[in-house]
Amino acid sequence: MNRYEIRKEDRSTSSMRIASQLFKKDILNGIWSNRWKYLFVTVFFSVITTINLYNFNSHPSLNGEKVQFNLFDIIFSVFRGNDPTDPFSKIIWLMVQLLAVFIVGSYSDKALVDGGIYSLIRAGSRSAWWYSKTIYVLFSVTLYYLIGFSTVIMITDLASPLASDWSSYAEAFELPRMNQSISSWLFVAYCFVLLTTSSIAISMIHLTLMQIMKPIYSYIGIVTILFVSLFYESSYLPGEHSMIMKHTLFMDSGLMMIGTMIYNSFLTGICLIIGARLFHRKDIFVKSDID
């Protein structure tokens, strides 16, 4: 190996080490800067769960007998998406989706302004910087839903014993609406995967839009997309894919789970590529000076 190849390998190793440090820095800084947001998320899901527990406890009896509910009924109520039989479900779904984008926020812009430009120069690659921010999005959204589901489970467990299967309430009101039988925990897994991958795709749209406009305008664009997803049915809308009630489990002509996974992966990939191109063309020095 000649001297040129050794220097080239050393530069490559150094770049990978700096990129790795950048990834770790974004994750740690992201958690710290969002610490109050995550606290708000915990309070939000605690309140929503408590409201649902009260509503289920006040639910009228079936044939004169009290219908028992459990954890899976609460999870169904909180994470089902737009349920035509319950107008309040639209509000919950919209708030859950907006909170995911709120967690991602404008961290990438703030990181670039608050001294992040020096980390970018040290990294020696705009690509490393961009990919680090996308990893931050993936991590933040996943952590958001882990906190959300964990909060629902813990609050419900305080009110009633942790269940392992569907309740008599579900057998009477929820399971008959499904087109196929499904285990309770598999249903929870479906909800988690649909919500997480859809919110990652939506947050990547937000991150990409921030490369060409101010964060506030990107937020407005995301809110518009989510509102349209509530009132207009189309498989092209990212919000539609986050609702389990829009899938074949509940609708004969609904979305397929594998189709949603492909759609969310494709949308995330497209945003990753387009965002990288936009960031490579972005005048980061002017951005830093202006902000």
Side-chain angles (χ1 to χ4, degrees), residues 20-271:
S20 176
Q21 292 173 352
L22 185 61
F23 296 157
K24 294 177 182 177
K25 179 182 177 182
D26 276 333
I27 296 300
L28 294 175
N29 285 352
I31 293 175
W32 178 250
S33 63
N34 286 335
R35 62 192 184 281
W36 300 115
K37 290 183 180 180
Y38 287 125
L39 177 61
F40 178 79
V41 167
T42 304
V43 173
F44 168 77
F45 280 105
S46 296
V47 171
I48 293 298
T49 303
T50 302
I51 292 174
N52 275 279
L53 286 169
Y54 173 80
N55 290 337
F56 274 105
N57 279 316
S58 305
H59 197 278
S61 60
L62 180 66
N63 298 326
E65 295 183 5
K66 184 68 176 181
V67 181
Q68 296 297 319
F69 68 93
N70 62 24
L71 167 67
F72 303 107
D73 303 304
I74 303 297
I75 289 178
F76 178 89
S77 182
V78 175
F79 298 110
R80 58 188 158 171
N82 184 9
D83 187 343
T85 65
D86 183 8
F88 188 60
S89 65
K90 290 184 173 67
I91 300 174
I92 295 179
W93 176 84
L94 186 60
M95 293 178 70
V96 168
Q97 293 299 313
L98 288 176
L99 265 179
V101 180
F102 174 67
I103 288 294
V104 171
S106 55
Y107 172 77
S108 62
D109 261 26
K110 290 179 180 178
L112 192 60
V113 174
D114 299 338
I117 191 169
Y118 301 108
S119 298
L120 175 59
I121 294 172
R122 285 190 63 226
S125 168
R126 290 196 180 210
S127 295
W129 175 273
W130 173 253
Y131 293 139
S132 178
K133 297 303 174 286
T134 59
I135 290 174
Y136 158 77
V137 169
L138 269 64
F139 176 84
S140 298
V141 173
T142 303
L143 180 59
Y144 163 72
Y145 280 111
L146 284 173
I147 292 174
F149 275 79
S150 297
T151 301
V152 172
I153 292 172
M154 287 187 292
I155 297 297
T156 305
D157 186 44
L158 292 175
S160 61
L162 190 62
S164 59
D165 206 351
W166 295 108
S167 67
S168 56
Y169 176 90
E171 292 175 352
F173 297 102
E174 294 165 359
L175 298 184
R177 303 173 63 184
M178 299 182 185
N179 290 327
Q180 62 190 68
S181 60
I182 182 174
S183 70
S184 52
W185 283 109
L186 182 58
F187 176 82
V188 174
Y190 277 0
C191 287
F192 182 84
V193 170
L194 287 176
L195 287 164
T196 303
T197 56
S198 296
S199 288
I200 286 173
I202 293 170
S203 296
M204 283 300 299
I205 295 175
H206 173 59
L207 186 65
T208 302
L209 289 176
M210 283 195 296
Q211 306 312 308
I212 56 175
M213 61 181 67
K214 293 182 177 180
I216 184 62
Y217 299 128
S218 178
Y219 280 123
I220 293 173
I222 295 300
V223 170
T224 302
I225 291 173
L226 293 176
F227 261 105
V228 174
S229 298
L230 270 178
F231 300 102
Y232 180 75
E233 291 189 7
S234 172
S235 59
Y236 295 107
L237 295 170
E240 185 102 349
H241 291 266
S242 69
M243 308 178 192
I244 195 166
M245 297 202 71
K246 297 292 184 179
H247 286 72
T248 53
L249 181 62
F250 288 91
M251 299 174 61
D252 292 332
S253 58
L255 302 167
M256 295 183 65
M257 177 67 72
I258 184 64
T260 288
M261 296 298 100
I262 294 173
Y263 173 88
N264 288 335
S265 300
F266 176 77
L267 187 56
T268 299
I270 289 294
C271 289

